[in-house]
Amino acid sequence: MSCDKFKDLLMGYLDDEISEQERVELEKHLTECDECTKELADFKDLKSITDDITLYQPEDEVFDQYWSSIYNRIERAAGWIILSVSGMVLLFYAGYMMIEEIIHDETLSWVFKGALLAFIAALSVLLVSVLRERLNTRKKDRYKDVRR
Ligand SMILES: [Zn+2]
């Protein structure tokens, strides 16, 4: 058998995928052929590298999950911000229309009008404060996750 024939067997030899007869012939040839022995050593190095790559694959999956969870969090944070901002705009707008109507209603007393204005102003301040607290808590949560 020529060297080329044995070189074709080397990969299969490392993976234990050649016949008993082929294995015996190859091992015999390896004892008397430096070139094929060197090639086998190269294949062994290559195989250990590809084995390492195979070992890293599960970690890649964890990495993918990590990124998809980050993406989910960004999505949720964006949802919260849009919800808060649009809710505030709706409230301010509804409040504004209410004030307009009530201020021009001559049958209502100024005490009621003043109390209502104060109530709406306080509500707006509280909403902004709650939103700001939410955003601050979010930032702290993010650092907590990194430490974990
Ligand atoms: Zn050879």
Side-chain angles (χ1 to χ4, degrees):
M1 256 200 258
S2 71
C3 270
D4 284 345
K5 168 68 183 158
F6 285 116
K7 278 174 188 167
D8 288 343
L9 291 177
L10 288 173
M11 260 307 190
Y13 175 69
L14 283 177
D15 291 331
D16 228 359
E17 283 166 358
I18 60 174
S19 72
E20 181 67 21
Q21 196 204 342
E22 282 172 328
R23 198 174 60 83
V24 171
E25 279 172 23
L26 179 65
E27 277 171 357
K28 183 174 173 291
H29 176 73
L30 285 172
T31 57
E32 51 205 30
C33 178
D34 287 344
E35 206 192 314
C36 285
T37 306
K38 193 188 169 297
E39 193 125 337
L40 181 68
D42 287 346
F43 274 142
K44 265 184 191 160
D45 287 345
L46 191 71
K47 193 168 143 49
S48 71
I49 290 167
T50 51
D51 282 355
D52 282 351
I53 290 166
T54 313
L55 280 175
Y56 275 112
Q57 263 169 358
E59 284 184 33
D60 285 349
E61 264 169 47
V62 171
F63 202 65
D64 284 348
Q65 276 165 13
Y66 174 74
W67 277 109
S68 77
S69 89
I70 291 240
Y71 179 75
N72 280 343
R73 213 174 299 165
I74 290 168
E75 217 173 37
R76 226 165 287 164
W80 265 112
I81 289 166
I82 293 166
L83 191 76
S84 307
V85 169
S86 60
M88 263 164 63
V89 168
L90 284 174
L91 256 159
F92 276 127
Y93 196 74
Y96 177 77
M97 290 200 308
M98 249 166 69
I99 291 166
E100 275 268 297
E101 211 168 300
I102 286 160
I103 292 240
H104 291 116
D105 192 336
E106 300 297 330
T107 61
L108 292 167
S109 77
W110 63 269
V111 177
F112 178 77
K113 287 174 188 173
L116 188 77
L117 282 174
F119 177 77
I120 288 167
L123 197 69
S124 307
V125 169
L126 278 175
L127 257 172
V128 172
S129 163
V130 164
L131 177 68
R132 208 174 43 210
E133 197 183 59
R134 252 219 99 72
L135 290 173
N136 280 342
T137 316
R138 238 164 217 301
K139 267 181 221 155
K140 275 175 212 148
D141 277 352
R142 204 157 47 205
Y143 290 126
K144 206 165 63 193
D145 282 354
V146 168
R147 251 183 268 128
R148 217 188 283 145

